[in-house]
Short mmCIF file of all heavy atoms in Angstrom, two decimals:
data_model
loop_
_atom_site.label_atom_id
_atom_site.label_comp_id
_atom_site.label_asym_id
_atom_site.label_seq_id
_atom_site.Cartn_x
_atom_site.Cartn_y
_atom_site.Cartn_z
N GLY A 1 -11.80 10.29 9.04
CA GLY A 1 -11.55 10.99 7.76
C GLY A 1 -11.77 10.08 6.57
O GLY A 1 -12.32 8.98 6.71
N SER A 2 -11.32 10.49 5.41
CA SER A 2 -11.45 9.69 4.19
C SER A 2 -10.21 8.84 3.99
O SER A 2 -9.08 9.33 4.15
CB SER A 2 -11.63 10.61 2.98
OG SER A 2 -12.82 11.38 3.10
N TYR A 3 -10.43 7.56 3.62
CA TYR A 3 -9.27 6.69 3.40
C TYR A 3 -9.58 5.67 2.32
O TYR A 3 -10.73 5.26 2.09
CB TYR A 3 -8.82 5.99 4.67
CG TYR A 3 -9.79 4.96 5.24
CD1 TYR A 3 -9.67 3.61 4.91
CD2 TYR A 3 -10.79 5.34 6.13
CE1 TYR A 3 -10.54 2.67 5.44
CE2 TYR A 3 -11.66 4.41 6.66
CZ TYR A 3 -11.52 3.07 6.32
OH TYR A 3 -12.39 2.13 6.84
N ALA A 4 -8.52 5.26 1.62
CA ALA A 4 -8.58 4.15 0.66
C ALA A 4 -7.93 2.94 1.37
O ALA A 4 -7.11 3.09 2.26
CB ALA A 4 -7.81 4.49 -0.59
N LEU A 5 -8.37 1.75 0.96
CA LEU A 5 -7.99 0.54 1.68
C LEU A 5 -7.41 -0.52 0.75
O LEU A 5 -8.01 -0.87 -0.28
CB LEU A 5 -9.22 -0.03 2.38
CG LEU A 5 -9.09 -1.40 3.08
CD1 LEU A 5 -8.14 -1.32 4.28
CD2 LEU A 5 -10.47 -1.93 3.52
N PHE A 6 -6.25 -1.03 1.13
CA PHE A 6 -5.74 -2.30 0.58
C PHE A 6 -5.84 -3.31 1.70
O PHE A 6 -5.26 -3.10 2.78
CB PHE A 6 -4.29 -2.15 0.11
CG PHE A 6 -3.66 -3.47 -0.27
CD1 PHE A 6 -3.66 -3.92 -1.58
CD2 PHE A 6 -3.08 -4.28 0.71
CE1 PHE A 6 -3.10 -5.13 -1.91
CE2 PHE A 6 -2.50 -5.51 0.38
CZ PHE A 6 -2.51 -5.93 -0.94
N LEU A 7 -6.54 -4.43 1.47
CA LEU A 7 -6.71 -5.45 2.50
C LEU A 7 -6.52 -6.82 1.84
O LEU A 7 -7.38 -7.31 1.12
CB LEU A 7 -8.09 -5.34 3.15
CG LEU A 7 -8.30 -6.14 4.46
CD1 LEU A 7 -9.43 -5.50 5.28
CD2 LEU A 7 -8.62 -7.59 4.19
N SER A 8 -5.37 -7.41 2.08
CA SER A 8 -5.04 -8.70 1.50
C SER A 8 -3.68 -9.11 2.08
O SER A 8 -3.09 -8.39 2.88
CB SER A 8 -4.96 -8.61 -0.02
OG SER A 8 -4.74 -9.87 -0.62
N ARG A 9 -3.20 -10.28 1.67
CA ARG A 9 -1.84 -10.66 1.99
C ARG A 9 -0.91 -9.68 1.25
O ARG A 9 -1.04 -9.48 0.05
CB ARG A 9 -1.58 -12.09 1.55
CG ARG A 9 -0.23 -12.67 1.90
CD ARG A 9 -0.22 -14.16 1.69
NE ARG A 9 -0.56 -14.52 0.32
CZ ARG A 9 0.32 -14.93 -0.58
NH1 ARG A 9 1.60 -15.02 -0.27
NH2 ARG A 9 -0.07 -15.26 -1.81
N VAL A 10 0.02 -9.08 1.98
CA VAL A 10 0.91 -8.08 1.38
C VAL A 10 2.07 -8.80 0.74
O VAL A 10 3.07 -9.10 1.39
CB VAL A 10 1.37 -7.05 2.44
CG1 VAL A 10 2.23 -5.97 1.80
CG2 VAL A 10 0.17 -6.43 3.14
N HIS A 11 1.92 -9.10 -0.54
CA HIS A 11 2.88 -9.92 -1.31
C HIS A 11 3.28 -9.14 -2.54
O HIS A 11 2.50 -8.34 -3.07
CB HIS A 11 2.19 -11.24 -1.69
CG HIS A 11 3.07 -12.21 -2.40
ND1 HIS A 11 3.28 -12.17 -3.76
CD2 HIS A 11 3.81 -13.26 -1.94
CE1 HIS A 11 4.12 -13.14 -4.12
NE2 HIS A 11 4.44 -13.82 -3.04
N PRO A 12 4.50 -9.33 -3.03
CA PRO A 12 4.94 -8.59 -4.22
C PRO A 12 3.98 -8.66 -5.41
O PRO A 12 3.85 -7.67 -6.15
CB PRO A 12 6.30 -9.22 -4.54
CG PRO A 12 6.84 -9.65 -3.23
CD PRO A 12 5.63 -10.11 -2.45
N LYS A 13 3.31 -9.79 -5.59
CA LYS A 13 2.42 -9.87 -6.74
C LYS A 13 1.18 -8.98 -6.60
O LYS A 13 0.53 -8.66 -7.59
CB LYS A 13 1.97 -11.32 -6.99
CG LYS A 13 0.78 -11.80 -6.19
CD LYS A 13 0.19 -13.04 -6.82
CE LYS A 13 -1.12 -13.45 -6.16
NZ LYS A 13 -1.80 -14.56 -6.84
N LYS A 14 0.91 -8.53 -5.38
CA LYS A 14 -0.21 -7.61 -5.15
C LYS A 14 0.14 -6.17 -5.52
O LYS A 14 -0.71 -5.30 -5.52
CB LYS A 14 -0.65 -7.66 -3.70
CG LYS A 14 -0.90 -9.06 -3.12
CD LYS A 14 -2.21 -9.64 -3.56
CE LYS A 14 -2.46 -10.98 -2.87
NZ LYS A 14 -3.78 -11.54 -3.18
N ASN A 15 1.44 -5.92 -5.76
CA ASN A 15 1.92 -4.60 -6.22
C ASN A 15 1.63 -3.47 -5.22
O ASN A 15 1.26 -2.35 -5.60
CB ASN A 15 1.33 -4.27 -7.57
CG ASN A 15 1.93 -5.09 -8.67
OD1 ASN A 15 3.13 -5.42 -8.64
ND2 ASN A 15 1.12 -5.46 -9.64
N VAL A 16 1.80 -3.74 -3.95
CA VAL A 16 1.65 -2.69 -2.95
C VAL A 16 2.71 -1.60 -3.16
O VAL A 16 2.47 -0.42 -2.91
CB VAL A 16 1.69 -3.27 -1.52
CG1 VAL A 16 1.50 -2.14 -0.49
CG2 VAL A 16 0.64 -4.32 -1.33
N ASP A 17 3.88 -2.00 -3.63
CA ASP A 17 4.92 -1.01 -3.94
C ASP A 17 4.48 -0.07 -5.05
O ASP A 17 4.74 1.14 -4.99
CB ASP A 17 6.25 -1.71 -4.30
CG ASP A 17 6.10 -2.78 -5.33
OD1 ASP A 17 5.01 -3.37 -5.46
OD2 ASP A 17 7.09 -3.07 -6.05
N LEU A 18 3.80 -0.59 -6.07
CA LEU A 18 3.26 0.26 -7.12
C LEU A 18 2.23 1.22 -6.56
O LEU A 18 2.19 2.42 -6.90
CB LEU A 18 2.64 -0.62 -8.23
CG LEU A 18 1.99 0.06 -9.42
CD1 LEU A 18 2.11 -0.83 -10.66
CD2 LEU A 18 0.51 0.36 -9.18
N LEU A 19 1.37 0.71 -5.70
CA LEU A 19 0.33 1.54 -5.09
C LEU A 19 0.95 2.66 -4.24
O LEU A 19 0.51 3.83 -4.30
CB LEU A 19 -0.60 0.69 -4.22
CG LEU A 19 -1.76 1.39 -3.53
CD1 LEU A 19 -2.64 2.11 -4.53
CD2 LEU A 19 -2.57 0.38 -2.71
N LEU A 20 2.01 2.35 -3.49
CA LEU A 20 2.68 3.36 -2.68
C LEU A 20 3.38 4.38 -3.56
O LEU A 20 3.43 5.58 -3.22
CB LEU A 20 3.67 2.70 -1.73
CG LEU A 20 3.10 1.91 -0.56
CD1 LEU A 20 4.18 1.29 0.27
CD2 LEU A 20 2.19 2.78 0.30
N THR A 21 3.95 3.93 -4.68
CA THR A 21 4.58 4.86 -5.60
C THR A 21 3.56 5.86 -6.16
O THR A 21 3.79 7.06 -6.25
CB THR A 21 5.28 4.11 -6.74
OG1 THR A 21 6.32 3.28 -6.18
CG2 THR A 21 5.90 5.07 -7.73
N ALA A 22 2.40 5.32 -6.57
CA ALA A 22 1.34 6.17 -7.11
C ALA A 22 0.85 7.14 -6.01
O ALA A 22 0.65 8.34 -6.27
CB ALA A 22 0.18 5.31 -7.59
N TRP A 23 0.68 6.63 -4.81
CA TRP A 23 0.22 7.47 -3.69
C TRP A 23 1.25 8.56 -3.34
O TRP A 23 0.89 9.71 -3.09
CB TRP A 23 -0.02 6.58 -2.50
CG TRP A 23 -0.79 7.23 -1.36
CD1 TRP A 23 -0.26 7.81 -0.25
CD2 TRP A 23 -2.22 7.38 -1.26
NE1 TRP A 23 -1.26 8.30 0.56
CE2 TRP A 23 -2.48 8.05 -0.03
CE3 TRP A 23 -3.28 7.01 -2.07
CZ2 TRP A 23 -3.76 8.36 0.39
CZ3 TRP A 23 -4.57 7.31 -1.63
CH2 TRP A 23 -4.81 7.98 -0.44
N GLY A 24 2.50 8.16 -3.37
CA GLY A 24 3.55 9.09 -3.00
C GLY A 24 3.80 10.17 -4.01
O GLY A 24 4.24 11.30 -3.67
N THR A 25 3.57 9.91 -5.31
CA THR A 25 3.84 10.89 -6.37
C THR A 25 2.62 11.68 -6.77
O THR A 25 2.74 12.70 -7.47
CB THR A 25 4.39 10.18 -7.61
OG1 THR A 25 3.47 9.16 -8.06
CG2 THR A 25 5.74 9.53 -7.32
N ALA A 26 1.42 11.26 -6.34
CA ALA A 26 0.19 11.94 -6.72
C ALA A 26 -0.06 13.20 -5.91
O ALA A 26 0.40 13.31 -4.74
CB ALA A 26 -0.99 10.99 -6.58
N LYS A 27 -0.78 14.14 -6.50
CA LYS A 27 -1.31 15.29 -5.72
C LYS A 27 -2.59 14.82 -5.07
O LYS A 27 -3.67 14.91 -5.66
CB LYS A 27 -1.55 16.47 -6.66
CG LYS A 27 -0.25 17.01 -7.30
CD LYS A 27 -0.56 18.16 -8.27
CE LYS A 27 0.71 18.68 -8.90
NZ LYS A 27 0.45 19.77 -9.86
N ARG A 28 -2.44 14.27 -3.88
CA ARG A 28 -3.57 13.62 -3.20
C ARG A 28 -4.57 14.66 -2.69
O ARG A 28 -4.19 15.76 -2.25
CB ARG A 28 -3.09 12.77 -2.04
CG ARG A 28 -2.11 11.69 -2.45
CD ARG A 28 -1.78 10.80 -1.27
NE ARG A 28 -1.13 11.54 -0.16
CZ ARG A 28 0.14 11.81 -0.08
NH1 ARG A 28 0.97 11.41 -1.05
NH2 ARG A 28 0.64 12.48 0.94
N PRO A 29 -5.85 14.27 -2.69
CA PRO A 29 -6.87 15.15 -2.06
C PRO A 29 -6.52 15.39 -0.59
O PRO A 29 -6.03 14.47 0.09
CB PRO A 29 -8.16 14.37 -2.20
CG PRO A 29 -7.92 13.40 -3.32
CD PRO A 29 -6.45 13.07 -3.25
N ALA A 30 -6.77 16.59 -0.10
CA ALA A 30 -6.38 16.95 1.26
C ALA A 30 -7.07 16.03 2.29
O ALA A 30 -8.28 15.74 2.17
CB ALA A 30 -6.76 18.41 1.55
N GLY A 31 -6.28 15.56 3.24
CA GLY A 31 -6.84 14.79 4.35
C GLY A 31 -6.99 13.30 4.12
O GLY A 31 -7.29 12.55 5.04
N TRP A 32 -6.81 12.83 2.89
CA TRP A 32 -6.98 11.40 2.58
C TRP A 32 -5.80 10.58 3.11
O TRP A 32 -4.68 11.03 3.09
CB TRP A 32 -7.11 11.20 1.08
CG TRP A 32 -8.51 11.40 0.57
CD1 TRP A 32 -9.19 12.59 0.51
CD2 TRP A 32 -9.38 10.42 0.04
NE1 TRP A 32 -10.44 12.39 -0.04
CE2 TRP A 32 -10.58 11.06 -0.34
CE3 TRP A 32 -9.28 9.03 -0.17
CZ2 TRP A 32 -11.65 10.39 -0.89
CZ3 TRP A 32 -10.34 8.35 -0.72
CH2 TRP A 32 -11.52 9.02 -1.07
N LYS A 33 -6.14 9.36 3.54
CA LYS A 33 -5.09 8.43 3.98
C LYS A 33 -5.26 7.09 3.24
O LYS A 33 -6.30 6.78 2.67
CB LYS A 33 -5.17 8.21 5.48
CG LYS A 33 -4.80 9.44 6.28
CD LYS A 33 -4.64 9.12 7.76
CE LYS A 33 -4.15 10.35 8.50
NZ LYS A 33 -3.93 10.04 9.95
N LEU A 34 -4.18 6.34 3.28
CA LEU A 34 -4.17 4.98 2.67
C LEU A 34 -3.87 3.99 3.79
O LEU A 34 -2.89 4.13 4.54
CB LEU A 34 -3.10 4.89 1.58
CG LEU A 34 -2.85 3.51 0.97
CD1 LEU A 34 -4.10 2.98 0.25
CD2 LEU A 34 -1.67 3.56 0.00
N CYS A 35 -4.73 2.98 3.89
CA CYS A 35 -4.54 1.91 4.88
C CYS A 35 -4.11 0.64 4.17
O CYS A 35 -4.79 0.16 3.25
CB CYS A 35 -5.83 1.66 5.67
SG CYS A 35 -5.70 0.33 6.88
N ILE A 36 -2.97 0.08 4.59
CA ILE A 36 -2.48 -1.20 4.07
C ILE A 36 -2.66 -2.24 5.19
O ILE A 36 -2.00 -2.14 6.22
CB ILE A 36 -0.99 -1.13 3.68
CG1 ILE A 36 -0.73 0.05 2.73
CG2 ILE A 36 -0.52 -2.44 3.08
CD1 ILE A 36 -1.37 -0.08 1.38
N ALA A 37 -3.55 -3.18 4.99
CA ALA A 37 -3.87 -4.17 6.03
C ALA A 37 -3.62 -5.58 5.52
O ALA A 37 -4.22 -6.00 4.52
CB ALA A 37 -5.33 -4.02 6.47
N GLY A 38 -2.71 -6.31 6.19
CA GLY A 38 -2.45 -7.69 5.83
C GLY A 38 -1.08 -8.14 6.28
O GLY A 38 -0.18 -7.31 6.53
N PRO A 39 -0.87 -9.42 6.41
CA PRO A 39 0.43 -9.93 6.83
C PRO A 39 1.47 -9.72 5.73
O PRO A 39 1.18 -9.78 4.55
CB PRO A 39 0.17 -11.43 7.06
CG PRO A 39 -1.02 -11.74 6.19
CD PRO A 39 -1.85 -10.49 6.18
N VAL A 40 2.73 -9.52 6.15
CA VAL A 40 3.80 -9.24 5.20
C VAL A 40 5.11 -9.80 5.75
O VAL A 40 5.33 -9.78 6.96
CB VAL A 40 3.93 -7.72 4.93
CG1 VAL A 40 4.19 -6.96 6.23
CG2 VAL A 40 4.97 -7.39 3.90
N ASP A 41 5.96 -10.31 4.85
CA ASP A 41 7.27 -10.76 5.33
C ASP A 41 8.23 -9.58 5.47
O ASP A 41 8.00 -8.51 4.89
CB ASP A 41 7.86 -11.85 4.41
CG ASP A 41 8.20 -11.38 3.01
OD1 ASP A 41 8.75 -10.27 2.89
OD2 ASP A 41 7.91 -12.11 2.06
N ASP A 42 9.28 -9.79 6.24
CA ASP A 42 10.19 -8.68 6.59
C ASP A 42 10.85 -8.04 5.40
O ASP A 42 11.01 -6.81 5.33
CB ASP A 42 11.24 -9.18 7.57
CG ASP A 42 10.65 -9.50 8.96
OD1 ASP A 42 9.55 -9.00 9.26
OD2 ASP A 42 11.29 -10.27 9.70
N GLU A 43 11.26 -8.86 4.41
CA GLU A 43 11.99 -8.33 3.26
C GLU A 43 11.12 -7.35 2.47
O GLU A 43 11.55 -6.27 2.08
CB GLU A 43 12.48 -9.46 2.37
CG GLU A 43 13.27 -9.01 1.18
CD GLU A 43 13.76 -10.16 0.30
OE1 GLU A 43 13.61 -11.33 0.71
OE2 GLU A 43 14.33 -9.87 -0.78
N TYR A 44 9.88 -7.77 2.17
CA TYR A 44 8.99 -6.89 1.39
C TYR A 44 8.56 -5.69 2.22
O TYR A 44 8.44 -4.58 1.70
CB TYR A 44 7.76 -7.67 0.94
CG TYR A 44 6.95 -6.96 -0.14
CD1 TYR A 44 7.55 -6.38 -1.24
CD2 TYR A 44 5.58 -6.87 -0.02
CE1 TYR A 44 6.81 -5.72 -2.23
CE2 TYR A 44 4.80 -6.22 -1.00
CZ TYR A 44 5.44 -5.66 -2.08
OH TYR A 44 4.69 -5.01 -3.05
N LYS A 45 8.39 -5.86 3.53
CA LYS A 45 8.01 -4.75 4.40
C LYS A 45 9.10 -3.68 4.38
O LYS A 45 8.80 -2.48 4.30
CB LYS A 45 7.78 -5.23 5.82
CG LYS A 45 7.28 -4.14 6.75
CD LYS A 45 6.94 -4.69 8.12
CE LYS A 45 6.41 -3.61 9.05
NZ LYS A 45 6.06 -4.12 10.38
N ASP A 46 10.37 -4.10 4.41
CA ASP A 46 11.48 -3.15 4.36
C ASP A 46 11.46 -2.38 3.04
O ASP A 46 11.74 -1.16 3.01
CB ASP A 46 12.82 -3.87 4.51
CG ASP A 46 13.05 -4.37 5.94
OD1 ASP A 46 12.35 -3.92 6.85
OD2 ASP A 46 13.92 -5.26 6.11
N ARG A 47 11.14 -3.06 1.98
CA ARG A 47 11.04 -2.40 0.66
C ARG A 47 9.93 -1.35 0.66
O ARG A 47 10.12 -0.24 0.13
CB ARG A 47 10.79 -3.45 -0.40
CG ARG A 47 10.65 -2.96 -1.83
CD ARG A 47 10.53 -4.15 -2.75
NE ARG A 47 10.00 -3.81 -4.06
CZ ARG A 47 9.65 -4.69 -4.97
NH1 ARG A 47 9.76 -6.01 -4.69
NH2 ARG A 47 9.19 -4.33 -6.13
#
């Protein structure tokens, strides 16, 4: 299917939380997915 990709170290300065907020509140096109790829520490992953 169709997907958008974040691929980097998953660190707070990369603003993955901002991206997830935008993804979660948007009226997303049908069938689209978001892939988050990269190492992350437990604290930020829980967030």
